[in-house]
Amino acid sequence: MTATPPPPRTLVLGANGFLGRWLVLELLTRAEPVAAAVRDARRATDLRHWLREHGADTAPLTTVTADLTHPGLGLTPDDDARLTEVRDVHNLAARYEFGLTRAQAEPPNVLGALHALHWSATRPRLRRLVHLSGYRVGRDADPRYPLEATTTADLYTRLGAYEASKRLGDAAVRVTAPRLGVPLTTVNPSSVIGHSRTGEAGQYLGLAQLVRQLHRGRLPLLPGNRRTFLPVVTVDHLARFLAAVPTHDRAPAAAHTVLDPATPVLPDLISLLATHLGVRPPRGRIPVPVVRRLPRALTGADPETLTFLSEDRYDTSSADHLSAAAGITHPPVIPALRHWSTRLVQDAFGHR
């Protein structure tokens, strides 16, 4: 007979995603009773199998079926009752994809974020909601498109559905949480690459698309300039950071930008990976505004990815302070990038 798991104290929304899995694994490693929210029973089975493959004891794991596009997370009354003891909620659920329409992006990324917030407010023992945003999405003021100076429709048109919906969801959660009395931390990570030692489970969008073009000989010119900075963070570091947030954040509201400042500038990063993969590096660089004006069929660049190619630098001081308090340090970034690029090639850049 299967033992009943202990009442979960942490709920992970988006638990079957690439980052959700690593967070659940980290929490189980810490002997934390966890509830993993997945979309259906098959995904629950897949998650348990993956966790066991990675050495986790899944006895403390509870799985529930949820849908963030519905109020109350679409939980059944029985599942909702099983989560009464939850004190920490990690919302990692979002639709991360370029080329979406507003109708596709808004329900999970805006309404879903608010549904997670409102549900969290019903937990009698709530300690903190941790909302995952993005290192550019989560900035308080974007000089390109300040929220107060543009219409929602204009934001979607200019930024694309993914970034616009994430910006709007982030803003809605930060404005609404104080009204509901929900302690909130927004975590804004940069591009997430694979595990620092194995390269496993990184993102297949963004920087990975550049690496794919590089590997296939389709990156003759690199978008950006000599100072373009596309920072990364390893999935294992980010999972450890997220797991530590509820213990260390005490203020009613907090926000952390999580990235490895040792990430090389983009031209050096791409040259390093070209050498590692044994392919020809780009012959030169092309300014992003020029790429925007060229046909996509010629450049191979998704217009939404170009918004991330910037010289901007980011304030990581609050994340650095929490990491130091939790005893967390970034693993060496150069070996991690090499492991990740090797794994991308082995995994056919997510197309297997």
Side-chain angles (χ1 to χ4, degrees):
M1 180 180 295
T2 303
T4 302
R9 294 184 300 185
T10 299
L11 172 66
V12 178
L13 302 168
N16 208 39
F18 82 96
L19 177 54
R21 291 182 173 207
W22 288 100
L23 176 57
V24 172
L25 178 62
E26 177 67 24
L27 291 167
L28 290 175
T29 300
R30 299 178 181 212
E32 176 72 11
V34 182
V38 295
R39 295 189 63 182
D40 53 50
R42 180 182 63 80
R43 287 178 172 85
T45 300
D46 291 345
L47 175 61
R48 287 181 179 275
H49 178 70
W50 184 91
L51 291 167
R52 292 187 188 112
E53 280 189 331
H54 289 76
D57 175 10
T58 57
L61 178 66
T62 298
T63 56
V64 296
T65 301
D67 185 344
L68 267 70
T69 64
H70 290 79
L73 309 182
L75 294 167
T76 66
D78 286 346
D79 278 346
D80 190 83
R82 294 164 71 194
L83 303 177
T84 301
E85 301 294 319
V86 163
R87 60 179 184 171
D88 300 325
V89 179
H90 289 268
N91 181 19
L92 312 184
R95 187 164 179 183
Y96 179 36
E97 186 179 342
F98 296 133
L100 297 173
T101 65
R102 177 177 175 178
Q104 292 170 322
E106 200 162 78
N109 296 352
V110 182
L111 296 180
L114 286 171
H115 291 156
L117 171 62
H118 281 276
W119 182 87
S120 298
T122 68
R123 297 305 95 182
R125 293 171 176 79
L126 184 71
R127 180 169 63 170
R128 186 154 298 266
L129 168 64
V130 182
H131 174 77
L132 192 76
S133 188
Y135 74 113
R136 292 183 67 78
V137 171
R139 292 181 300 173
D140 287 335
D142 187 329
R144 299 171 304 155
Y145 315 113
L147 288 177
E148 65 277 6
T150 188
T151 66
T152 298
D154 188 48
L155 199 70
Y156 275 96
T157 299
R158 295 190 184 191
L159 292 181
Y162 169 71
E163 188 178 356
S165 64
K166 287 296 289 180
R167 280 201 73 202
L168 290 166
D170 177 89
V173 167
R174 287 191 287 118
V175 167
T176 309
R179 299 175 186 167
L180 299 178
V182 172
L184 172 70
T185 294
T186 54
V187 175
N188 309 311
S190 62
S191 296
V192 184
I193 63 172
H195 192 281
S196 59
R197 294 190 302 277
T198 67
E200 182 184 357
Q203 291 175 337
Y204 294 119
L205 293 177
L207 179 58
Q209 292 177 319
L210 281 178
V211 179
R212 180 186 181 193
Q213 290 177 285
L214 175 72
H215 183 254
R216 297 184 177 182
R218 298 175 183 172
L219 194 65
L221 297 174
L222 181 65
N225 59 39
R226 188 70 188 86
R227 297 173 299 279
T228 298
F229 184 53
L230 191 57
V232 301
V233 61
T234 64
V235 71
D236 46 317
H237 177 85
L238 184 55
R240 289 193 297 271
F241 184 91
L242 288 167
V245 163
T247 302
H248 291 274
D249 275 347
R250 292 285 187 268
H256 307 293
T257 296
V258 185
L259 56 86
D260 191 337
T263 306
V265 291
L266 186 61
D268 293 347
L269 188 157
I270 292 296
S271 293
L272 180 151
L273 294 182
T275 300
H276 174 66
L277 296 173
V279 298
R280 180 177 296 178
R283 295 191 298 271
R285 295 182 292 276
I286 181 170
V288 170
V290 175
V291 180
R292 291 185 189 279
R293 293 195 293 268
L294 294 175
R296 180 176 176 179
L298 177 64
T299 65
D302 190 308
E304 289 186 63
T305 67
L306 298 177
T307 65
F308 293 87
L309 299 180
S310 166
E311 298 178 32
D312 294 346
R313 297 300 187 267
Y314 308 90
D315 182 4
T316 63
S317 56
S318 65
D320 296 341
H321 179 77
L322 189 149
S323 294
I328 301 170
T329 57
H330 286 280
V333 68
I334 301 302
L337 283 164
R338 290 175 176 144
H339 292 318
W340 173 63
S341 63
T342 298
R343 189 63 180 252
L344 285 175
V345 173
Q346 292 173 347
D347 292 347
F349 297 90
H351 290 282
R352 285 185 176 175

